[in-house]
Amino acid sequence: MGVEPACPVLLLFLAGIIIWVVEAEVHYYDFVLAEKNFTRLCKTKSMLVVNGQFPGPTIYVHKGDTVFVNVHNHGDYGLTVHWHGVKQPRNPWSDGSAYITQCPIEPGHNFTYEVVFSEEEGTLWWHANSDWTRNTVHGAIVIYPPHGFSYPFPTPAGEQIFILGTWFTYDVNKVIKEILRTGKDVPVSDAYIINGQPGDFCACSKEMAYRWQVDYGKTYLIRLVNALMNEEFFFAIAGHDLIVVGIDGSYLKPFTTSYVMLSNGQTMDVLVKTNRSPGRYYMAGRQYYTDNLFFTGYDKTNASAILEYRGKYDRLSSPFFPEKLPSYTDYDSATQFRKRLKSLASKEHPIDVPRNVTTQMYITASMDKIVHNFSAYMDYTLLSSLNNISWVNPSTDVLQAYYRNLSGFYTLDFLDEPPYYFDFVADLRDDSTHPLKGTKVKVLEYSEEVEIVFQSTNLLNASDEHSMYIHGHKFYVLGEGYGNFNSTRDTETYNLVDPPYLSTASLPVKGWLTIRFKANNPGVWAMHCQEGRHLIWGMNTVLIVKNGSNPETSIRTPPPNMPSCASYPSIHKALEVSAE
């Protein structure tokens, strides 16, 4: 990896009449994707990883830096790589959203992403963005303050990354290929993992549990990444309080808690003080389950790693387990934790909540199904939708079609509100809304201020939490609640003073979520549920933000080597061949 200095970035703080000159840097990484054997839970399988590592390599930058990542695809099917939570100003060409900003990188080919870090500071992550390839192709991004600046909290003695993941004992992509063909439900994972290891409570795993050594009397920074395929996740450390200081690459007002809950795809920065009796303590996590409680076959794995103090003590005794790790279905603990998330809102880290909303959207998020009446029997395929529209990938990515003014690949009629109004959270065992399949997008004027209320529905009696994510923008979470959204009652509860500034947020089960953002990043950007099962079924749409009035507020010109959309081998075709 080579590093070259870029042009200095000049920052002017008028309040103090102080000029800081910050040297932004340019970094270069090579990501080589190839199959490698890994053994967990007593079974060995081959899986696609980056540079032979699982999880993949960590990218380290300072705020304002630029990173070029050359992705070499030595796998068997096309894929893309996405930089989760990175705004990418005016640069949708490197967002890595399959079929939306690019077509997949073909096997045997490469593509170089230009990742531009602008407002982000803290922890983010990168991952593959094609079907379920992100299950094994992912890693962390660490964004330090600009050179010459410090954290808004005392500098920690050290730091540690914990990536929370999902483990299947088989090639799950083969199963997903069949699911996409039949429309049936996705498989349940075999275990959850921390830094690639299930930990002490899983078969053939005790000796391989991840261990983190610390010194007594220090304060450490933990960087958490929820890279699970579908689940929100509770995490705690036995005997130790956690001080939450950041989320999704933004700072929070610090608060102390005995546990944290991360939405799917979310990242979190947490301080921990090593002030307990020297010994060994479990760091443990488990799924926060919000789907139908009649289904009890979900993954109840307690993923674990071990925090162990340096020094002399009895190492033969078992580590302590977190007493205050919430149970799988503890709705109240999850809700109360989210209510404590508030932006730091300081002079150095100001907030700018949109107050002049020009576009308001009310979007239902639903599980759906389409019934097929064959001559001899009836069957169905599962779908998911936003405002009763289930996304269909076009044959040419939306960005290319939009930029080159090509017709026939998408339509401009994504709905601002659901086509049907009813009691969205009632027990609705059938789906009578007949969702439409299509490639429908929403167009926004440059710099207009947008408010979206997401509403969860209970169609098919299948309401659960959704991790809503917007590419190319971050948003303020003004409020959330259970039940049907009430525009008179619920708006009175909005936090307009210090709401959290996120890229991924939880839409509560049988509830609502309100966000606001300024559409100040021209380009083509996906908006979807981050959970893999909902995303592949169509809980997705696209926001097209039009250019502003000058080149500095317009989409950059495309790089010359965008992957071709004409002849890529899809994951489905490749897996069919490998299965023969």
Side-chain angles (χ1 to χ4, degrees), residues 8 23 45 99 127 189 201 216 240 256 265-266 269 272-273 291 309 322 325 346 377 395 416 439 462 534 553 558:
E23 290 288 340
K45 69 171 182 177
Y99 306 103
H127 58 81
S189 55
F201 304 102
Y216 177 81
H240 294 72
T256 301
Q266 210 165 56
D269 297 316
V272 59
K273 295 181 179 180
D291 210 336
Y309 284 73
L325 181 66
S346 65
Y377 63 96
S395 56
D416 284 352
T439 310
H534 298 151
T553 58

Side-chain angles (χ1 to χ4, degrees), residues 359-371:
T359 292
Q360 289 185 308
M361 304 180 73
Y362 185 47
I363 300 177
T364 53
S366 304
M367 280 299 305
D368 311 279
K369 68 180 179 181
I370 293 180
V371 177

Side-chain angles (χ1 to χ4, degrees), residues 352-357 449-450 476 478 496 516-518:
D352 185 18
V353 181
R355 300 299 182 106
N356 300 305
V357 174
E449 298 183 349
V450 183
Y476 291 99
L478 303 191
L496 297 172
R516 281 188 194 172
F517 65 96
K518 180 175 285 189

Side-chain angles (χ1 to χ4, degrees), residues 316-338:
L316 297 179
S317 59
S318 297
F320 299 98
F321 191 83
E323 294 182 355
K324 297 182 180 180
L325 181 66
S327 66
Y328 310 97
T329 58
D330 191 341
Y331 292 8
D332 185 62
S333 288
T335 301
Q336 293 305 315
F337 177 80
R338 289 199 297 261

